[in-house]
Amino acid sequence: MKTISIVGTGLIGGSAALDLRKAGNVRELIGVDQNPEHAARAVELGLVDRILPLQEAAAVSDVLLVAIPVSAIQKLLPSLLDMLPPQAVVIDLGSTKSLLCEAVRQHPNRAQFVAAHPIAGTEYSGPTAALEGLYQGKMNIICEKELSSEHALHTAQEVFSTLGLKTIYMQPEEHDKHVAYVSHLSHVSSFLLGLTVLDVEKDERNIFTLAGSGFASTVRLAKSSPDMWAPIFEQNAHFLSHALAEYIKHLQRFQECLQSGQTQELYQMMQQANQIRPVLDGIAQVSPVVK
Amino acid sequence: MKTISIVGTGLIGGSAALDLRKAGNVRELIGVDQNPEHAARAVELGLVDRILPLQEAAAVSDVLLVAIPVSAIQKLLPSLLDMLPPQAVVIDLGSTKSLLCEAVRQHPNRAQFVAAHPIAGTEYSGPTAALEGLYQGKMNIICEKELSSEHALHTAQEVFSTLGLKTIYMQPEEHDKHVAYVSHLSHVSSFLLGLTVLDVEKDERNIFTLAGSGFASTVRLAKSSPDMWAPIFEQNAHFLSHALAEYIKHLQRFQECLQSGQTQELYQMMQQANQIRPVLDGIAQVSPVVK
C-alpha cells in the first residue's frame, strides 16, 4: 500500500488518481495544487483525499506524480529532489523531455526520478476533466531510464501498469523530435486553423452555419489549454519549428498546384496522404475515442 | 409515391437512399453508377432496387439525386437537363456550387434543377460507406433558388425534410467562399498534415508509436477520397487558395514567435483560438459524431 501525491490535480493528474484509487492498492492520495479552486474541486470530486503543501506531501509520500505545465515542472524538479526522503520516487508526466531531464541530470538525487510521458489526453483541462480509463491501452515513454534507480523504475512501472500504459524507452531528444511531428504539430495546425477561420468570420456573418463534423474534428485541439500548451511549444521550439517548416512547405506546394491548375499533382498528394489510413487504424485500436 | 434515381451510389447518394426508403413513400429507388462494382454492391446492400443507364432512369423518375464528383456533375448536368421529362426534378448534392450553377444557368430546363449542398459526410466513400441518419439535423444550402420552379423547390424540400436536413439559401459565390474556410480548408490542412508526417516517417522509424487520439482527430480527413476531393478543390480553387494563404500566414507568424521565443504572443494566439469552443459546441449539437 502506497501513499501517492498528485502534484497538479488537472486532467492528467486527476485521471491517474481515479484509476490508482480504483485499483485499490493506495493508502492515501494526496493532492498538491497552487490553484485553491482546483485543489478544493479535486477533493470534492474524490480525486484526492486531502490537499497538502508540496513540502509536507513530499515528506509522507512513496510516489509523487508531477502533472503540471512543463515550464513549472522544469522549475520545480530540482527543489523537489532536494527535499525528497530517500525512498520516495518522483515521476513527471510532462509532454516534453529534453529540458526536464537536463534540469536534474546532475542532481545528487537524480536516481529517485523517472522522466515519463504517457501519450494520452483530451482537449479539456482541470480537475473536472479527469476521466477514468484515460490511460488504458495507451503508450508511455520513459526517457534516460539508465539514470533512474532500479527501485524508482520498478515503482514507476507499477504505477504505469495499474494505469494500463504500455511503456517504451527513448532518449529525450528522440522523444521530443517525434512528438513534435505526431502531437505538437497537430495541435499547432488545429489552433491556427481555428484562428484563421475565426478571423475570417469577423467579416463574414454566419460562416459557422456551414461547419460540419469534419471541421469539428480537425479543429478540436484548438480548444486545448494555452496554459498547458504554450510551455510545451516553448520547450520544444527547435523540433516543432522544424516540423512546422515542413508543414508550411507542403501547404505552399499544394497552393501552387491549386493556383496553376495542376489537379493531377493535387490528386497524387492526396493519394499519398491516404497512406495514413493504416496508421490511424492502428491508433484506433490502442486508443478508443475519449468523449 | 415517387420514383427516385440515385445517380452515384456512394456515401452521399447511398445514405440518402437508405433514409428515403426508410421513410416509406418511395415507389422505387433506381441506381445509376458508372462503376459496375459499386452498382452491384448498391443493389446487394439494398440501397437501390435496380440499376439503369442514366437515360432510362431519367425517363421514369420523378426525382434524380446527383451525388457524383463535382467535375462529373458539371459535365453531366446540361445533358441530363436535355433528356429530362417535363415533370422530373434534378437535385445535385455537390460540395461546390458556382461552376455547377453556371453550367446550366442558361439551360431551357434550368427550372427543373435544384442546386443543393447538404453539409454531411464522413472520411469514407463508396456504397459500403452509406449510413442511415447521416443527414439528420444537418444544414443544407440551396443556391439560386430563384431559378428553380415552385414544383422543383417543393419536391426538393420534401426530399430534404425526409432526410432531416434544415435548408438555408445562399448565392453560389457566397456558398463557395464560406465552405472554402469551414470545410475545404480543414480537408487540406488534414491531408497535408498526414503527408508531412508520413514524409518524416520515411527517415524515422516508429514515429507513429507516439501518435495519440489528438493526432488521429486532426488527421482523420486525410483518409478522404481524392476522387471526390480533387475536383472540389479544383472547382473552388479561387476561394480555397485565399483561405490557404490566410492559414499559411497564421502558421508563419506562429513559427516566427516560436523561433524568437515570444511565448506571450503564442499564448495569446492560442487564447484567441480557444474562442472556437462555443462554435464547436454548436456543431456538436446539430451534428452528432458519425462512427
Side-chain angles (χ1 to χ4, degrees), chain B:
Chain B
M1 297 284 276
K2 288 191 162 62
T3 296
I4 300 184
S5 280
I6 307 291
V7 183
T9 60
L11 164 69
I12 297 300
S15 299
L18 281 173
D19 286 346
L20 289 169
R21 186 188 299 285
K22 206 176 175 185
N25 48 358
V26 172
R27 188 181 307 115
E28 193 182 17
L29 277 160
I30 298 170
V32 178
D33 208 305
Q34 280 198 325
N35 179 329
E37 280 173 37
H38 280 193
R41 199 92 183 89
V43 173
E44 200 178 302
L45 291 166
L47 304 179
V48 295
D49 300 307
R50 57 176 173 142
I51 298 292
L52 282 183
L54 180 65
Q55 192 139 13
E56 292 175 38
V60 300
S61 296
D62 301 297
V63 181
L64 292 104
L65 286 180
V66 183
I68 56 183
V70 290
S71 49
I73 300 180
Q74 189 185 12
K75 276 184 211 139
L76 183 79
L77 272 184
S79 53
L80 180 54
L81 289 186
D82 287 345
M83 67 177 77
L84 213 60
Q87 283 305 302
V89 172
V90 169
I91 306 167
D92 97 286
L93 307 176
S95 299
T96 56
K97 292 269 85 61
S98 296
L99 290 180
L100 306 190
C101 285
E102 200 183 302
V104 291
R105 195 168 289 135
Q106 310 299 335
H107 195 286
N109 298 339
R110 170 62 182 86
Q112 292 177 257
F113 169 60
V114 177
H117 177 202
I119 311 281
T122 74
E123 67 273 35
Y124 302 107
S125 55
T128 51
L131 285 174
E132 271 186 26
L134 178 66
Y135 301 104
Q136 190 58 50
K138 308 284 172 67
M139 297 298 298
N140 176 49
I141 296 100
I142 290 183
C143 290
E144 294 190 338
K145 166 194 190 185
E146 65 283 3
L147 299 185
S148 305
S149 71
E150 287 283 323
H151 168 68
L153 275 178
H154 179 78
T155 305
Q157 286 294 16
E158 265 184 3
V159 169
F160 295 137
S161 334
T162 302
L163 298 179
L165 285 161
K166 191 181 146 189
T167 297
I168 58 172
Y169 303 92
M170 278 188 183
Q171 288 309 310
E173 292 240 315
E174 190 188 358
H175 167 275
D176 284 5
K177 183 174 185 176
H178 284 198
V179 295
Y181 279 93
V182 295
S183 166
H184 305 172
L185 180 60
S186 323
H187 281 80
V188 174
S189 81
S190 199
F191 272 120
L192 278 292
L193 182 64
L195 198 55
T196 304
V197 178
L198 284 163
D199 273 1
V200 173
E201 199 244 355
K202 285 180 198 151
D203 307 316
E204 302 284 339
R205 279 182 317 120
N206 299 328
I207 191 171
F208 290 119
T209 316
L210 307 194
S213 56
F215 177 72
S217 165
T218 316
V219 90
R220 176 170 72 84
L221 300 178
K223 296 162 85 175
S224 303
S225 157
D227 291 322
M228 176 180 167
W229 282 97
I232 292 175
F233 295 155
E234 188 183 24
Q235 291 207 352
N236 208 14
H238 172 71
F239 290 121
L240 178 55
S241 180
H242 192 79
L244 206 40
E246 288 297 311
Y247 184 47
I248 291 170
K249 214 162 69 186
H250 279 86
L251 288 165
Q252 283 170 332
R253 172 87 189 110
F254 193 92
Q255 197 194 15
E256 277 165 30
C257 293
L258 196 63
Q259 285 175 331
S260 57
Q262 297 175 65
T263 308
Q264 191 52 35
E265 185 81 21
L266 295 181
Y267 188 91
Q268 280 165 10
M269 289 171 89
M270 287 184 259
Q271 235 177 358
Q272 283 165 28
N274 278 173
Q275 291 169 20
I276 204 75
R277 284 175 188 158
V279 173
L280 292 181
D281 292 344
I283 297 172
Q285 276 174 9
V286 296
S287 145
V289 171
V290 172
K291 76 159 170 79

Side-chain angles (χ1 to χ4, degrees), chain A residues 78 81-82 84 103-113 147:
Chain A
L81 290 186
D82 287 344
L84 212 61
V104 292
R105 196 169 287 135
Q106 310 299 333
H107 196 285
N109 298 339
R110 170 63 181 86
Q112 292 176 258
F113 168 60
L147 300 185

Side-chain angles (χ1 to χ4, degrees), chain A residues 95-152:
Chain A
S95 298
T96 57
K97 292 271 85 57
S98 296
L99 290 179
L100 306 190
C101 285
E102 200 184 302
V104 292
R105 196 169 287 135
Q106 310 299 333
H107 196 285
N109 298 339
R110 170 63 181 86
Q112 292 176 258
F113 168 60
V114 177
H117 177 202
I119 311 281
T122 74
E123 66 274 34
Y124 302 106
S125 55
T128 50
L131 285 175
E132 272 188 25
L134 178 66
Y135 301 104
Q136 191 60 48
K138 307 285 171 69
M139 299 297 299
N140 176 49
I141 297 100
I142 290 183
C143 290
E144 294 191 337
K145 166 194 190 187
E146 65 281 4
L147 300 185
S148 305
S149 70
E150 288 283 322
H151 167 69

Side-chain angles (χ1 to χ4, degrees), chain A residues 196-253:
Chain A
T196 304
V197 178
L198 283 164
D199 273 1
V200 173
E201 200 244 356
K202 283 178 199 153
D203 306 317
E204 301 285 338
R205 280 182 317 121
N206 300 328
I207 191 171
F208 291 119
T209 315
L210 307 194
S213 57
F215 176 74
S217 165
T218 316
V219 89
R220 175 169 73 85
L221 299 179
K223 295 162 85 175
S224 304
S225 157
D227 290 323
M228 176 179 166
W229 283 96
I232 292 174
F233 295 154
E234 186 181 24
Q235 291 207 353
N236 208 15
H238 171 71
F239 290 120
L240 178 56
S241 180
H242 193 78
L244 206 40
E246 288 297 312
Y247 185 45
I248 291 170
K249 213 162 68 187
H250 279 85
L251 287 166
Q252 283 169 332
R253 173 87 190 109

Side-chain angles (χ1 to χ4, degrees), chain A residues 123-188:
Chain A
E123 66 274 34
Y124 302 106
S125 55
T128 50
L131 285 175
E132 272 188 25
L134 178 66
Y135 301 104
Q136 191 60 48
K138 307 285 171 69
M139 299 297 299
N140 176 49
I141 297 100
I142 290 183
C143 290
E144 294 191 337
K145 166 194 190 187
E146 65 281 4
L147 300 185
S148 305
S149 70
E150 288 283 322
H151 167 69
L153 274 179
H154 180 78
T155 305
Q157 287 293 18
E158 265 185 2
V159 169
F160 294 138
S161 330
T162 303
L163 298 180
L165 284 161
K166 191 181 147 192
T167 297
I168 59 172
Y169 304 93
M170 278 189 183
Q171 289 310 310
E173 292 239 316
E174 190 188 358
H175 167 275
D176 285 4
K177 183 175 185 173
H178 284 197
V179 294
Y181 279 93
V182 294
S183 166
H184 304 174
L185 181 60
S186 323
H187 280 80
V188 174

